Amino acid sequence: MSETADTIFAELMTPAGHADPYPIYRRLRETAPVFKSSIGAWVVTGYEDCRAVLRDARLGKDWEGFMAASGRSDWRGHTSLEYGATSLLFANPPEHTRLRGLVSKAFTPRMVEKLRAGMRAMIDGLLDPLEQNGGGDLLDALAFPLPVTVIGELLGIPVGDRHEFRHRIRVSTATLEIGVTTEQLAEADEAAVWMRDYFADLVAEKRAHPADDMLTAMIDTEEAGDRLTDEEIIGMGLVLFGAGFETTTNLIGNGVYALLDNPDQLQILRDNPRCLKNAVEELLRYDCSIQITGRAAFEDIEFGGQGFAAGDSVLTILGAANRDPARFANPDRLDVTRNEVEPLSFGSGVHFCLGASLARAEGYEALSALLERFSTIELAETPRYRDQLGFRGLESLPIRCRR
Ligand code: HEM
């Protein structure tokens, strides 16, 4: 069979494609940077094209269309999918503007700076067992507990309950993959029912006993007449908590792996700690934890020499955009000194990641503490990526380290 954009696209859905999608993205971009796939969605792989799609008000979110393109027109009745229809992540203006306005105050750079001091002390504590044991799984030791604690504190999730979410949020990410299977959906539904009930109880508890946290603040906003319903607070809690740690765990995991796999770059950071801020941007670009997002056309649009019809779904492959040679010289090379990286890893436009400054701060503080504490860090074994495309992360990251 001769190679077409569609046959290349199909390779992305295989275990080999999940393990290393980047060479496939390159072939896809070279063959057809904008094309309509046989799953019915347009696929866009260039940096400027993806950015333009994400910023164009003639395109927006369409949960129904995304579900149809994923072969899940039966989404109603599945708890894990029903949330998509009402979530901030899939809302359009003016509803999106209203929901986002209610939570965005908590994520200002000033707020993040306030959290930063506590982060460093927390990381130092998390690194102690790694030091005592001469290594361990970096995901378990640092990349998971750091972000889950930060967002858990912010929202007001009791400490003892946070670990309950790790597996459940992870299985829920399958619902945002192209072509979730029936088995994955059953698992995600079970997790979603548990998490919804958990947040419903927690919201009731915060109503009875207000605390200094975001869930209480959301309840107060509602009581000030701004009509944030219980369902909306529960949905927002789930989105913030889910988006708040799974992605950041993978920023730290994928990022440290990339550095251990490129020891020359690790050495540059050791010699020039001032490069660290820039390095976080480069690590976000090089192997980002969210590889794909999407929009739908609200009207007929001329785009990239093609025509999107009203209602068409458009997949923006952020992981491919971040490796576009038209935007980045030597895109497949990790270069922590690269200037003006500006990756698309946090999206663009009105849905630009609400937690971007928080995630950047966590990535920075984690890397900085690791490099300061350990003079040697090396892979104990080659890690494996989880068998997923949209959410990219490692199964585990076993390292050896010495002070
Ligand atoms: C490295 C870590 C992270 C990555 C790569 C990431 C990536 C993204 C991307 C790509 C989007 C846009 C999706 C779209 O346009 O369709 C997004 C949106 C969002 N992110 Fe993040 N994120 C990260 C961390 C966080 C954190 C720490 C939080 C919260 C504490 C968070 C909360 C959100 C929320 C609430 C949205 C929806 C915003 C909206 O629809 O207006 N994210 N994120």
mmCIF file of all heavy atoms in Angstrom, residues 270-298:
data_model
loop_
_atom_site.group_PDB
_atom_site.id
_atom_site.type_symbol
_atom_site.label_atom_id
_atom_site.label_comp_id
_atom_site.label_asym_id
_atom_site.label_seq_id
_atom_site.Cartn_x
_atom_site.Cartn_y
_atom_site.Cartn_z
ATOM 1 N N ARG A 270 24.246 22.119 34.815
ATOM 2 C CA ARG A 270 25.067 22.095 36.037
ATOM 3 C C ARG A 270 26.059 23.263 36.012
ATOM 4 O O ARG A 270 26.291 23.909 37.031
ATOM 5 C CB ARG A 270 25.834 20.780 36.127
ATOM 6 C CG ARG A 270 24.964 19.600 36.509
ATOM 7 C CD ARG A 270 25.839 18.468 37.027
ATOM 8 N NE ARG A 270 25.071 17.275 37.332
ATOM 9 C CZ ARG A 270 24.351 17.093 38.445
ATOM 10 N NH1 ARG A 270 24.274 18.044 39.342
ATOM 11 N NH2 ARG A 270 23.704 15.970 38.642
ATOM 12 N N ASP A 271 26.623 23.531 34.833
ATOM 13 C CA ASP A 271 27.608 24.610 34.732
ATOM 14 C C ASP A 271 26.963 25.990 34.755
ATOM 15 O O ASP A 271 27.592 26.964 35.170
ATOM 16 C CB ASP A 271 28.423 24.463 33.421
ATOM 17 C CG ASP A 271 29.223 23.164 33.407
ATOM 18 O OD1 ASP A 271 29.432 22.601 34.512
ATOM 19 O OD2 ASP A 271 29.622 22.716 32.317
ATOM 20 N N ASN A 272 25.728 26.077 34.249
ATOM 21 C CA ASN A 272 25.049 27.393 34.156
ATOM 22 C C ASN A 272 23.627 27.288 34.708
ATOM 23 O O ASN A 272 22.662 27.237 33.933
ATOM 24 C CB ASN A 272 24.920 27.847 32.690
ATOM 25 C CG ASN A 272 26.217 27.760 31.950
ATOM 26 O OD1 ASN A 272 27.047 28.633 32.077
ATOM 27 N ND2 ASN A 272 26.397 26.695 31.183
ATOM 28 N N PRO A 273 23.476 27.259 36.025
ATOM 29 C CA PRO A 273 22.115 27.130 36.586
ATOM 30 C C PRO A 273 21.168 28.222 36.093
ATOM 31 O O PRO A 273 19.955 28.061 36.120
ATOM 32 C CB PRO A 273 22.336 27.220 38.095
ATOM 33 C CG PRO A 273 23.783 26.895 38.305
ATOM 34 C CD PRO A 273 24.510 27.309 37.064
ATOM 35 N N ARG A 274 21.743 29.326 35.576
ATOM 36 C CA ARG A 274 20.857 30.399 35.082
ATOM 37 C C ARG A 274 20.072 29.980 33.842
ATOM 38 O O ARG A 274 19.105 30.629 33.464
ATOM 39 C CB ARG A 274 21.679 31.648 34.778
ATOM 40 C CG ARG A 274 21.762 32.517 36.009
ATOM 41 C CD ARG A 274 22.056 33.946 35.659
ATOM 42 N NE ARG A 274 23.297 34.349 36.275
ATOM 43 C CZ ARG A 274 24.201 35.117 35.712
ATOM 44 N NH1 ARG A 274 24.024 35.573 34.508
ATOM 45 N NH2 ARG A 274 25.294 35.434 36.353
ATOM 46 N N CYS A 275 20.543 28.913 33.181
ATOM 47 C CA CYS A 275 19.819 28.416 31.983
ATOM 48 C C CYS A 275 18.549 27.657 32.357
ATOM 49 O O CYS A 275 17.771 27.264 31.474
ATOM 50 C CB CYS A 275 20.691 27.420 31.203
ATOM 51 S SG CYS A 275 22.007 28.145 30.282
ATOM 52 N N LEU A 276 18.346 27.420 33.656
ATOM 53 C CA LEU A 276 17.286 26.497 34.064
ATOM 54 C C LEU A 276 15.882 26.939 33.643
ATOM 55 O O LEU A 276 15.056 26.129 33.222
ATOM 56 C CB LEU A 276 17.357 26.325 35.587
ATOM 57 C CG LEU A 276 16.779 25.034 36.121
ATOM 58 C CD1 LEU A 276 17.405 23.833 35.438
ATOM 59 C CD2 LEU A 276 17.014 24.941 37.625
ATOM 60 N N LYS A 277 15.629 28.239 33.756
ATOM 61 C CA LYS A 277 14.293 28.736 33.406
ATOM 62 C C LYS A 277 14.018 28.437 31.923
ATOM 63 O O LYS A 277 12.953 27.954 31.550
ATOM 64 C CB LYS A 277 14.231 30.241 33.682
ATOM 65 C CG LYS A 277 12.847 30.787 33.662
ATOM 66 C CD LYS A 277 12.760 32.106 34.403
ATOM 67 C CE LYS A 277 11.392 32.701 34.217
ATOM 68 N NZ LYS A 277 11.409 34.010 33.617
ATOM 69 N N ASN A 278 15.033 28.720 31.115
ATOM 70 C CA ASN A 278 14.898 28.460 29.685
ATOM 71 C C ASN A 278 14.794 26.962 29.413
ATOM 72 O O ASN A 278 14.062 26.513 28.525
ATOM 73 C CB ASN A 278 16.138 29.028 28.978
ATOM 74 C CG ASN A 278 15.913 29.182 27.506
ATOM 75 O OD1 ASN A 278 14.992 29.887 27.113
ATOM 76 N ND2 ASN A 278 16.709 28.505 26.694
ATOM 77 N N ALA A 279 15.530 26.181 30.222
ATOM 78 C CA ALA A 279 15.524 24.731 30.021
ATOM 79 C C ALA A 279 14.126 24.152 30.227
ATOM 80 O O ALA A 279 13.712 23.226 29.523
ATOM 81 C CB ALA A 279 16.505 24.065 30.990
ATOM 82 N N VAL A 280 13.368 24.727 31.174
ATOM 83 C CA VAL A 280 12.011 24.219 31.406
ATOM 84 C C VAL A 280 11.174 24.407 30.130
ATOM 85 O O VAL A 280 10.434 23.519 29.707
ATOM 86 C CB VAL A 280 11.359 24.923 32.623
ATOM 87 C CG1 VAL A 280 9.888 24.568 32.745
ATOM 88 C CG2 VAL A 280 12.107 24.570 33.905
ATOM 89 N N GLU A 281 11.338 25.554 29.464
ATOM 90 C CA GLU A 281 10.598 25.786 28.210
ATOM 91 C C GLU A 281 11.020 24.777 27.138
ATOM 92 O O GLU A 281 10.199 24.250 26.396
ATOM 93 C CB GLU A 281 10.847 27.212 27.690
ATOM 94 C CG GLU A 281 10.406 28.305 28.633
ATOM 95 C CD GLU A 281 8.961 28.132 29.079
ATOM 96 O OE1 GLU A 281 8.069 28.134 28.224
ATOM 97 O OE2 GLU A 281 8.742 27.987 30.301
ATOM 98 N N GLU A 282 12.326 24.528 27.074
ATOM 99 C CA GLU A 282 12.834 23.601 26.069
ATOM 100 C C GLU A 282 12.352 22.171 26.358
ATOM 101 O O GLU A 282 12.008 21.424 25.440
ATOM 102 C CB GLU A 282 14.371 23.680 26.023
ATOM 103 C CG GLU A 282 15.056 22.656 25.142
ATOM 104 C CD GLU A 282 14.799 22.816 23.639
ATOM 105 O OE1 GLU A 282 13.926 23.620 23.243
ATOM 106 O OE2 GLU A 282 15.464 22.101 22.859
ATOM 107 N N LEU A 283 12.299 21.802 27.643
ATOM 108 C CA LEU A 283 11.825 20.456 27.990
ATOM 109 C C LEU A 283 10.331 20.332 27.688
ATOM 110 O O LEU A 283 9.866 19.291 27.227
ATOM 111 C CB LEU A 283 12.117 20.153 29.461
ATOM 112 C CG LEU A 283 13.614 20.019 29.782
ATOM 113 C CD1 LEU A 283 13.849 20.015 31.287
ATOM 114 C CD2 LEU A 283 14.228 18.773 29.145
ATOM 115 N N LEU A 284 9.595 21.419 27.921
ATOM 116 C CA LEU A 284 8.172 21.410 27.567
ATOM 117 C C LEU A 284 8.004 21.210 26.062
ATOM 118 O O LEU A 284 7.103 20.527 25.600
ATOM 119 C CB LEU A 284 7.522 22.740 27.968
ATOM 120 C CG LEU A 284 7.104 22.897 29.424
ATOM 121 C CD1 LEU A 284 6.914 24.366 29.774
ATOM 122 C CD2 LEU A 284 5.808 22.128 29.695
ATOM 123 N N ARG A 285 8.878 21.842 25.293
ATOM 124 C CA ARG A 285 8.815 21.722 23.835
ATOM 125 C C ARG A 285 9.201 20.309 23.381
ATOM 126 O O ARG A 285 8.517 19.677 22.580
ATOM 127 C CB ARG A 285 9.788 22.720 23.178
ATOM 128 C CG ARG A 285 9.811 22.641 21.643
ATOM 129 C CD ARG A 285 11.008 23.339 21.031
ATOM 130 N NE ARG A 285 12.244 22.593 21.177
ATOM 131 C CZ ARG A 285 12.642 21.592 20.401
ATOM 132 N NH1 ARG A 285 11.884 21.196 19.394
ATOM 133 N NH2 ARG A 285 13.787 20.967 20.618
ATOM 134 N N TYR A 286 10.298 19.821 23.947
ATOM 135 C CA TYR A 286 10.936 18.616 23.441
ATOM 136 C C TYR A 286 10.048 17.377 23.606
ATOM 137 O O TYR A 286 9.987 16.529 22.726
ATOM 138 C CB TYR A 286 12.263 18.445 24.181
ATOM 139 C CG TYR A 286 13.101 17.299 23.698
ATOM 140 C CD1 TYR A 286 13.767 17.369 22.482
ATOM 141 C CD2 TYR A 286 13.235 16.148 24.475
ATOM 142 C CE1 TYR A 286 14.551 16.311 22.038
ATOM 143 C CE2 TYR A 286 14.021 15.099 24.038
ATOM 144 C CZ TYR A 286 14.675 15.182 22.823
ATOM 145 O OH TYR A 286 15.442 14.134 22.399
ATOM 146 N N ASP A 287 9.369 17.275 24.742
ATOM 147 C CA ASP A 287 8.577 16.056 24.986
ATOM 148 C C ASP A 287 7.407 16.409 25.893
ATOM 149 O O ASP A 287 7.397 16.087 27.075
ATOM 150 C CB ASP A 287 9.473 14.993 25.647
ATOM 151 C CG ASP A 287 8.886 13.596 25.520
ATOM 152 O OD1 ASP A 287 8.003 13.387 24.663
ATOM 153 O OD2 ASP A 287 9.326 12.706 26.280
ATOM 154 N N CYS A 288 6.401 17.078 25.333
ATOM 155 C CA CYS A 288 5.383 17.662 26.200
ATOM 156 C C CYS A 288 4.325 16.650 26.615
ATOM 157 O O CYS A 288 4.071 15.658 25.926
ATOM 158 C CB CYS A 288 4.767 18.917 25.576
ATOM 159 S SG CYS A 288 3.675 18.656 24.229
ATOM 160 N N SER A 289 3.734 16.917 27.773
ATOM 161 C CA SER A 289 2.842 15.921 28.362
ATOM 162 C C SER A 289 1.464 15.907 27.711
ATOM 163 O O SER A 289 0.761 14.916 27.820
ATOM 164 C CB SER A 289 2.736 16.113 29.867
ATOM 165 O OG SER A 289 2.838 17.454 30.251
ATOM 166 N N ILE A 290 1.073 16.984 27.044
ATOM 167 C CA ILE A 290 -0.165 16.926 26.256
ATOM 168 C C ILE A 290 0.220 17.078 24.793
ATOM 169 O O ILE A 290 0.763 18.102 24.390
ATOM 170 C CB ILE A 290 -1.164 18.018 26.677
ATOM 171 C CG1 ILE A 290 -1.543 17.781 28.138
ATOM 172 C CG2 ILE A 290 -2.377 18.027 25.762
ATOM 173 C CD1 ILE A 290 -2.885 18.208 28.553
ATOM 174 N N GLN A 291 -0.033 16.043 24.032
ATOM 175 C CA GLN A 291 0.429 16.025 22.643
ATOM 176 C C GLN A 291 -0.638 16.536 21.671
ATOM 177 O O GLN A 291 -0.298 16.958 20.565
ATOM 178 C CB GLN A 291 0.815 14.590 22.246
ATOM 179 C CG GLN A 291 2.019 14.058 23.007
ATOM 180 C CD GLN A 291 3.346 14.465 22.369
ATOM 181 O OE1 GLN A 291 3.542 14.322 21.187
ATOM 182 N NE2 GLN A 291 4.262 14.978 23.181
ATOM 183 N N ILE A 292 -1.882 16.453 22.070
ATOM 184 C CA ILE A 292 -2.955 16.782 21.110
ATOM 185 C C ILE A 292 -4.075 17.544 21.806
ATOM 186 O O ILE A 292 -4.444 17.212 22.929
ATOM 187 C CB ILE A 292 -3.579 15.486 20.535
ATOM 188 C CG1 ILE A 292 -2.515 14.640 19.831
ATOM 189 C CG2 ILE A 292 -4.731 15.797 19.580
ATOM 190 C CD1 ILE A 292 -3.047 13.355 19.237
ATOM 191 N N THR A 293 -4.585 18.548 21.141
ATOM 192 C CA THR A 293 -5.885 19.077 21.558
ATOM 193 C C THR A 293 -6.691 19.341 20.287
ATOM 194 O O THR A 293 -6.222 19.006 19.191
ATOM 195 C CB THR A 293 -5.750 20.314 22.479
ATOM 196 O OG1 THR A 293 -7.054 20.630 22.965
ATOM 197 C CG2 THR A 293 -5.153 21.523 21.797
ATOM 198 N N GLY A 294 -7.877 19.880 20.426
ATOM 199 C CA GLY A 294 -8.679 20.007 19.212
ATOM 200 C C GLY A 294 -9.715 21.099 19.288
ATOM 201 O O GLY A 294 -10.012 21.647 20.356
ATOM 202 N N ARG A 295 -10.232 21.423 18.134
ATOM 203 C CA ARG A 295 -11.290 22.417 18.004
ATOM 204 C C ARG A 295 -12.261 21.919 16.932
ATOM 205 O O ARG A 295 -11.990 20.932 16.254
ATOM 206 C CB ARG A 295 -10.723 23.773 17.536
ATOM 207 C CG ARG A 295 -9.746 24.436 18.498
ATOM 208 C CD ARG A 295 -10.442 24.933 19.752
ATOM 209 N NE ARG A 295 -9.543 25.662 20.630
ATOM 210 C CZ ARG A 295 -8.806 25.114 21.595
ATOM 211 N NH1 ARG A 295 -8.836 23.798 21.792
ATOM 212 N NH2 ARG A 295 -8.038 25.854 22.360
ATOM 213 N N ALA A 296 -13.350 22.669 16.750
ATOM 214 C CA ALA A 296 -14.253 22.393 15.631
ATOM 215 C C ALA A 296 -14.532 23.711 14.931
ATOM 216 O O ALA A 296 -14.506 24.776 15.572
ATOM 217 C CB ALA A 296 -15.545 21.781 16.148
ATOM 218 N N ALA A 297 -14.780 23.647 13.635
ATOM 219 C CA ALA A 297 -15.087 24.871 12.879
ATOM 220 C C ALA A 297 -16.545 25.246 13.130
ATOM 221 O O ALA A 297 -17.433 24.406 13.042
ATOM 222 C CB ALA A 297 -14.846 24.635 11.398
ATOM 223 N N PHE A 298 -16.768 26.546 13.478
ATOM 224 C CA PHE A 298 -18.147 27.016 13.668
ATOM 225 C C PHE A 298 -18.772 27.449 12.345
ATOM 226 O O PHE A 298 -19.954 27.673 12.247
ATOM 227 C CB PHE A 298 -18.176 28.204 14.636
ATOM 228 C CG PHE A 298 -17.834 27.841 16.063
ATOM 229 C CD1 PHE A 298 -17.132 28.720 16.873
ATOM 230 C CD2 PHE A 298 -18.236 26.620 16.599
ATOM 231 C CE1 PHE A 298 -16.833 28.391 18.195
ATOM 232 C CE2 PHE A 298 -17.932 26.277 17.912
ATOM 233 C CZ PHE A 298 -17.229 27.168 18.712
#
